[in-house]
């Protein structure tokens, strides 16, 4: 049984500040170690549950956050950005399940460091008319391949807004949001213990969890953070300008919707 792990940082126990996800400071160095240890807990649980292969994809920011020399050597690691499939790079239909570790709530939600792909680009995103998180986008991408999400971890808002997308999946709540940059968190050791146990259960029951599917073609609509950014995104020939801050695309597949999201996100970086 092959298991795929996508690891973000905002939903890790103890992570609450933008600095925790931004390379170049002491807080980040601490956070990336916490992130790596949560992934190790999931790897340990996955193998205990019967996995014979685990692939980990570093899915936050520059996607070079996980510390390779501290990672469980039984797993392989995808690092770096830009890469096909982004947060789910390397996933294919040979995997029995996906684990989303350290995930967070969508843009415009009141969760810890909540955003969708880029807080500098998107005030909100809707996918087929629904408020969209990264878990929704990438869970649907996996679902289109027939691969279920079998475990998520993050805060209570992520549990409330994303957990219901994946009936039968394990959810490990490692903190409770008190605001965008504040939380009441489990100790890292307790969080890892729960993740390890949930990962083992998730692998053992992977065959009973149904993939999350969205209808395709799909509509993706972005509320941008500035009119200038919306002006730039609206220069893309395939775009539809709905309002001064709102641009959308008709996407043939969920992967195309993800690609448009990433294009608009990268365009935002040129306004900084």
């Amino acid at each position: 049984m092959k298991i795929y792990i996508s690891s973000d940082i905002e939903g890790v126990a103890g992570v609450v500040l933008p600095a925790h996800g931004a390379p170049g400071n002491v807080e980040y160095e601490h956070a990336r170690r916490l992130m790596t240890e949560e992934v190790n807990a999931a790897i340990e649980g996955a193998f205990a549950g019967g996995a014979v292969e685990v692939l980990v994809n570093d899915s936050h920011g520059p996607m070079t956050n996980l510390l390779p020399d501290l990672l469980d050597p039984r797993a392989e690691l995808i690092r770096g950005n830009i890469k096909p499939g982004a947060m789910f790079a390397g996933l294919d239909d040979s995997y029995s399940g996906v684990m989303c570790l350290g995930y967070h709530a969508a843009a415009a939600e009141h969760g810890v460091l909540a955003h969708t792909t880029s807080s500098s680009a998107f005030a909100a995103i809707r996918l087929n008319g629904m408020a969209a998180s990264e878990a929704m986008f990438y869970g649907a991408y996996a679902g289109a391949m027939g691969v279920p999400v079998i475990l998520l971890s993050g805060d209570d808002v992520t549990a409330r807004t994303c957990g219901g997308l994946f009936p039968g999946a394990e959810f490990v709540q490692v903190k409770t949001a008190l605001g965008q940059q504040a939380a009441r968190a489990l100790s890292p050791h307790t969080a890892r213990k729960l993740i390890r146990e949930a990962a083992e259960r998730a692998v053992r029951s992977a065959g009973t969890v149904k993939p999350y599917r969205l209808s395709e073609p799909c509509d993706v609509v972005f509320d941008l953070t500035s009119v200038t950014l919306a002006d730039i995104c609206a220069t893309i020939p395939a775009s539809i300008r709905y309002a001064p801050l709102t641009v959308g695309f008709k996407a043939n597949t969920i992967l195309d919707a993800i690609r448009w999201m990433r294009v608009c996100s990268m365009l935002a970086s040129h306004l900084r």
Side-chain angles (χ1 to χ4, degrees), residues 46-87:
F47 279 110
V52 297
E53 181 179 323
V54 175
L55 176 63
V56 178
N57 182 34
D58 193 323
S59 299
H60 171 73
M63 301 185 178
T64 51
N65 310 279
L66 294 169
L67 296 162
D69 56 334
L70 296 184
L71 197 70
D72 188 316
R74 293 174 292 179
E76 293 188 7
L77 173 63
I78 296 176
R79 303 182 84 213
N81 197 17
I82 300 168
K83 54 197 175 188
M87 294 182 77

Side-chain angles (χ1 to χ4, degrees), residues 73-269:
R74 293 174 292 179
E76 293 188 7
L77 173 63
I78 296 176
R79 303 182 84 213
N81 197 17
I82 300 168
K83 54 197 175 188
M87 294 182 77
F88 276 18
L91 181 68
D92 60 40
D93 62 6
S94 68
Y95 286 85
S96 298
V98 171
M99 300 181 183
C100 298
L101 297 182
Y103 270 54
H104 50 81
E109 293 287 351
H110 203 206
V112 178
L113 299 172
H115 67 283
T116 305
T117 298
S118 169
S119 57
S120 64
F122 307 117
I125 298 180
R126 292 174 296 283
L127 183 58
N128 285 353
M130 299 178 287
S133 62
E134 291 164 18
M136 176 184 283
F137 271 100
Y138 289 96
Y141 173 55
M145 300 181 202
V147 181
V149 172
I150 59 173
L151 183 149
L152 292 89
S153 68
D155 69 4
D156 61 312
V157 182
T158 308
R160 175 172 54 80
T161 59
C162 300
L165 299 175
F166 312 112
E170 297 282 337
F171 192 99
V172 181
Q173 182 182 322
V174 302
K175 55 192 171 186
T176 299
L178 302 178
Q180 257 277 325
Q181 298 182 32
R184 176 174 176 169
L186 301 178
S187 81
H189 295 286
T190 300
R192 293 167 199 161
K193 177 179 182 293
L194 294 176
I195 288 169
R196 188 254 180 236
E197 293 170 349
E200 181 175 351
R201 290 194 302 270
V203 172
R204 292 189 187 281
S205 62
T208 67
V209 182
K210 294 182 179 180
Y212 174 61
R213 299 183 186 275
L214 284 178
S215 60
E216 298 174 323
C218 50
D219 293 331
V220 58
V221 178
F222 308 117
D223 290 338
L224 286 309
T225 54
S226 75
V227 175
T228 302
L229 178 55
D231 287 343
I232 293 172
C233 294
T235 65
I236 300 170
S239 66
I240 305 166
R241 187 69 172 267
Y242 292 108
L245 286 168
T246 306
V247 176
F249 297 87
K250 304 287 187 182
N252 289 327
T253 66
I254 185 63
L255 179 57
D256 285 345
I258 290 170
R259 286 169 172 161
W260 284 126
M261 177 172 64
R262 289 180 56 77
V263 165
C264 292
S265 174
M266 286 184 280
L267 287 173
S269 66

